[in-house]
């Protein structure tokens, strides 16, 4: 699992690396790219690592919620998605989307996933030639993703709340475009 050579299309899509996790043992194995970015040491690739080492470079402001999210996902199993910041050398910050699937605790088996660089989606438009972002549209995209998750949870009151938020965001977007 340490081969870092991805096809050009995957490299262009921002694939950083892959992971596999033994939920019962509490250990993750990273490939070269994931180990270099997430643990800060490509030499750790292929070795079973405790979570705090495998994710050692998560930004301090994101660390608590990411680890709590992972603990919940490990208990229930199923798809896992989290987007967070990672500190790099010299204080640089990259955004990473962690996406995969985990078995539930007690079910045995291995979880698999990958890290994708999403830094380009978080750049300040004033800092480069990137097209300015419409932050209400970004919020709407996140709310739509949240609504899909809430639908799966079967919680009608939460569905009502997210629908109200989406409706209000939509009203603001329509008003802005009609002026």
């Amino acid at each position: 699992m340490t081969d870092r050579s991805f096809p050009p299309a995957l490299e262009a899509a921002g694939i950083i690396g892959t992971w596999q996790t033994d939920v019962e043992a509490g250990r993750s194995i990273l490939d070269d790219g994931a180990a270099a970015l997430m643990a800060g040491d490509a030499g750790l690739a292929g070795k079973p690592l405790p979570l705090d080492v495998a994710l050692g470079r998560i930004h301090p402001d994101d660390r608590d919620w990411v680890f709590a999210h992972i603990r919940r996902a490990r208990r229930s199993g199923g798809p896992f998605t989290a987007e967070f910041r990672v500190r790099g050398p010299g204080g640089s910050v990259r955004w990473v989307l962690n996406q995969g699937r985990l078995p539930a605790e007690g079910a045995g088996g291995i979880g698999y996933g990958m890290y994708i660089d999403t830094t380009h989606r978080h750049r300040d438009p004033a800092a480069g030639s990137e097209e300015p972002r419409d932050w209400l549209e970004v919020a709407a995209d996140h709310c739509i993703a949240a609504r899909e998750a809430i639908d799966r949870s079967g919680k009608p009151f939460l569905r009502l709340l997210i629908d109200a938020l989406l409706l209000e965001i939509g009203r603001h977007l329509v008003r802005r475009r009609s002026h």
Side-chain angles (χ1 to χ4, degrees), residues 118-129:
T118 58
T119 306
H120 66 281
R121 293 185 358 195
H122 299 276
R123 284 202 179 110
D124 179 1
S129 61

Side-chain angles (χ1 to χ4, degrees), residues 2 5-6 10 18-19 24 44-45 49 53 69 81 91 116 118 122-123 128 130-131 141 143 146-147 155 158 171 179:
T2 62
S5 58
F6 291 118
L10 295 180
T18 61
W19 55 264
E24 298 303 316
L44 295 174
L49 304 171
V53 174
H69 186 56
T81 302
I116 303 165
T118 58
H122 299 276
R123 284 202 179 110
E130 195 173 292
E131 186 175 313
D141 290 342
C143 286
R147 184 179 188 271
K155 304 291 185 197
L158 292 177
R171 285 181 184 153
H179 288 108

Side-chain angles (χ1 to χ4, degrees), residues 19-31:
W19 55 264
Q20 57 181 305
T21 296
D22 182 332
V23 172
E24 298 303 316
R27 298 284 189 250
S28 294
I29 297 175
L30 308 176
D31 72 0

Side-chain angles (χ1 to χ4, degrees), residues 56-66 85-87 93:
R57 291 176 96 188
I58 288 181
H59 193 282
D61 293 342
D62 294 343
R63 192 172 180 82
D64 289 343
W65 76 261
V66 170
R85 293 166 293 175
V86 175
R87 290 185 310 176
V93 175

Side-chain angles (χ1 to χ4, degrees), residues 20-172:
Q20 57 181 305
T21 296
D22 182 332
V23 172
E24 298 303 316
R27 298 284 189 250
S28 294
I29 297 175
L30 308 176
D31 72 0
D32 292 345
L37 180 67
M38 302 305 299
D41 182 356
L44 295 174
K47 299 176 182 169
L49 304 171
L51 193 59
D52 62 323
V53 174
L55 299 176
R57 291 176 96 188
I58 288 181
H59 193 282
D61 293 342
D62 294 343
R63 192 172 180 82
D64 289 343
W65 76 261
V66 170
F67 277 70
H69 186 56
I70 291 169
R71 283 190 297 275
R72 283 190 305 274
R74 283 181 168 186
R75 280 193 296 273
S76 62
F80 175 82
T81 302
E83 188 176 26
F84 49 82
R85 293 166 293 175
V86 175
R87 290 185 310 176
S92 65
V93 175
R94 289 172 70 180
W95 281 87
V96 173
L97 175 65
N98 179 356
Q99 192 160 317
R101 180 173 289 279
L102 295 167
E105 279 181 353
I110 303 293
Y112 297 93
M114 68 176 44
Y115 297 108
I116 303 165
D117 189 329
T118 58
T119 306
H120 66 281
R121 293 185 358 195
H122 299 276
R123 284 202 179 110
D124 179 1
S129 61
E130 195 173 292
E131 186 175 313
R133 299 187 69 183
D134 184 328
W135 293 108
L136 277 180
E137 287 184 12
V138 171
D141 290 342
H142 286 290
C143 286
I144 290 167
R147 184 179 188 271
E148 291 170 1
I150 289 168
D151 278 346
R152 288 187 210 109
S153 78
K155 304 291 185 197
F157 183 68
L158 292 177
R159 168 73 185 270
L160 179 68
L161 292 173
I162 196 70
D163 283 348
L165 180 58
L166 275 165
L167 180 62
E168 189 61 23
I169 290 171
R171 285 181 184 153
H172 282 280

